């Protein structure tokens, strides 16, 4: 049997909500590792222990845990009785195949009834390891850190810390609806909200069959990626091509981008509300493209009474790209495809759309039936991880 010790950080700070946050994390870990021979998951004095059958699953366990929000770090650990001699024996056995020049021991005593204080555990265990292996103790820059955590009945020993995704466990912060294009930015925006514990519904507008099916394939793949972190994802796919054609007929070219966005917002608000979302999310950043000015953002936001969250608002493109690479959406986003908005987009969109002009144009267009129709025709897809 193997153990993994999972540490959470931020959720430890959440006061009276803490047990609920931890339960959520435990249940997310359970779902994420459901098919990996996990025997037991339990919350243990400020950490979580995951027990699983065999070492052959470790790589996959590691991969999956590293993507789950709410985990600060985790470690493959061996468990022993909470008795100093047994702990020392266990640690020495763990070190049997290890060869280093310098090391230190770092101990944490969770149950203060354990007779040795942490510094004493460190000193005494360090002494035994030094005597057995001849390695030099180096407290500042050790090549290896042997970590020991003593609880009430058991102790854990481990040698490596794997970085977690950070953030909050999926599901503790309520639902949002993210407008997801096939581009680089919005997947990162969606991920950031997943990481803050939100359940992120995705809404994609496509112009199929005027344009290819690529954008829908891309967002499905992006949804799959995000599902590895939030474990289930609902994607709504909305036909937008006809609406765009009508906008082209009724709206002066410089105002079209803002009108498209306002229509997207209205449709997303309706779909979002119906699925319990409390806010809308976009991948916009101030000044990134001509249409993403503060003026335009305010004209776009005024069609909805929901908060519009823009998690990337202050980021540079370079930073966004770096993050997209880290979360694995970049490679999908750069697959060439015609954006539904570039097809009908003028070369020089208004950077300071006036709300009154936009409203007049929308009056001529007649937005309500367009929104109704789009909402009614939205197609829903569900993603779960691990896939059923
Ligand atoms: P992205 O990289 O996310 O496509 P972008 O830099 O191309 O963003 P815009 O085209 O101005 O910027 O889009 C701004 C935001 O509007 C996107 O981040 C996304 O949230 C939303 N959006 C744009 N096009 C679509 C679409 N086809 N479906 C859903 N949302 C969209
Ligand atoms: Mg785009």
């Amino acid at each position: 049997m193997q153990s993994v010790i999972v540490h959470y950080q931020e959720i430890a700070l959440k006061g009276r909500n803490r047990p609920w946050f931890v339960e959520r994390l435990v249940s997310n870990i359970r779902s994420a590792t459901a098919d990996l021979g996990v025997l037991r998951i339990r919350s243990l004095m400020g950490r979580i222990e995951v027990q699983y059958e065999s070492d052959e699953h470790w790589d996959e366990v590691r991969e999956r845990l590293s993507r789950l929000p709410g985990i600060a770090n985790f470690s493959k650990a061996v468990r022993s009785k909470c008795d100093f001699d047994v702990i020392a024996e266990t640690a020495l056995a763990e070190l049997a195949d290890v060869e280093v020049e310098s090391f230190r021991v770092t101990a944490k005593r969770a149950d203060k009834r354990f007779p040795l204080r942490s510094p004493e555990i460190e000193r005494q265990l360090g002494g035994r390891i030094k005597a057995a292996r001849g390695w030099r103790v180096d407290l500042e820059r050790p090549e290896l850190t042997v970590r020991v955590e003593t609880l009430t009945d058991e102790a854990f020993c481990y040698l490596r810390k794997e970085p977690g995704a950070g953030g909050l466990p999926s599901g503790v912060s309520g639902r949002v609806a993210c407008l997801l294009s096939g581009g680089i930015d919005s997947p990162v925006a969606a991920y950031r909200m997943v990481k803050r514990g939100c359940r992120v519904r995705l809404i994609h507008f496509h112009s199929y069959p005027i344009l290819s099916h690529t954008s829908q394939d891309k967002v499905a793949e992006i949804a799959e990626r995000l599902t590895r972190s939030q474990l289930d994802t609902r994607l709504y796919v909305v036909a937008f091509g006809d609406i765009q054609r009508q906008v082209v007929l009724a709206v002066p070219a410089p105002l079209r981008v803002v009108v498209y966005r306002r229509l997207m917002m209205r449709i997303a608000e309706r779909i979002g509300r119906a699925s319990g979302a409390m806010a809308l999310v976009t991948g916009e950043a101030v000044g990134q493209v001509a249409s993403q000015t503060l003026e335009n953002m305010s004209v776009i936001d005024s069609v909805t009474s929901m908060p519009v969250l823009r998690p990337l608002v202050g980021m540079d493109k370079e930073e966004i790209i770096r993050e997209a690479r880290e979360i694995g959406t970049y490679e999908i986003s750069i697959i060439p495809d015609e954006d539904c908005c570039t097809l009908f987009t003028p070369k020089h969109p208004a950077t300071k759309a006036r709300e009154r002009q936009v409203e007049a144009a929308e009056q001529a267009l007649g937005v309500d039936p367009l929104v109704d129709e789009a909402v009614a025709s939205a197609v829903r897809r569900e993603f779960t991880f691990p896939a059923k």
Side-chain angles (χ1 to χ4, degrees), residues 131-146:
R133 305 300 302 267
W135 301 335
R136 176 168 54 83
V137 172
D138 185 341
L139 299 180
E140 300 297 316
R141 299 169 141 236
E143 199 180 324
L144 173 74
T145 300
V146 179

Side-chain angles (χ1 to χ4, degrees), residues 373-388:
E373 203 178 315
V375 171
S377 71
V379 176
R380 206 168 108 172
R381 280 190 67 179
E382 305 283 349
F383 297 80
T384 49
F385 185 87
K388 293 218 170 85

Side-chain angles (χ1 to χ4, degrees), residues 178-187 189 203-207 215 219 240 257 261 264-265 281-285 288-289 291-292 312 317 333 339-342:
C178 180
L179 287 82
L180 185 76
S181 69
I184 294 169
D185 305 326
S186 40
I203 303 178
H204 175 65
F205 298 91
H206 70 85
S207 306
S215 79
V219 293
F240 204 63
V257 174
R261 287 279 179 276
M264 286 184 182
M265 286 295 182
V281 178
T282 79
E284 293 161 296
Q288 195 193 82
V289 290
S291 60
Q292 294 177 13
L312 314 185
K317 193 76 185 185
S333 294
D339 190 322
C340 81
C341 291
T342 49

Side-chain angles (χ1 to χ4, degrees), residues 237-284:
V237 176
V238 182
F240 204 63
D242 264 348
I243 292 183
Q244 288 181 300
R245 266 204 279 231
Q246 300 196 38
V247 170
V248 169
L249 295 177
V251 176
L255 299 180
R256 281 177 204 156
V257 174
V258 170
V259 171
Y260 295 147
R261 287 279 179 276
R262 281 164 59 105
L263 283 161
M264 286 184 182
M265 286 295 182
R266 291 182 175 104
I267 297 163
E269 170 171 11
R270 288 264 298 274
I271 294 173
R273 278 199 200 287
S275 82
M278 293 187 282
L280 300 175
V281 178
T282 79
E284 293 161 296

Side-chain angles (χ1 to χ4, degrees), residues 84 88 91-92 95 99-105 122-137 146:
F84 182 77
L92 283 168
L95 294 170
E99 221 28 271
V100 291
E101 296 198 336
S102 66
F103 79 105
R104 69 160 292 161
V105 176
E122 292 174 358
R123 226 173 295 127
Q124 293 195 22
L125 182 57
R128 290 220 194 165
I129 294 172
K130 185 166 184 247
R133 305 300 302 267
W135 301 335
R136 176 168 54 83
V137 172
V146 179

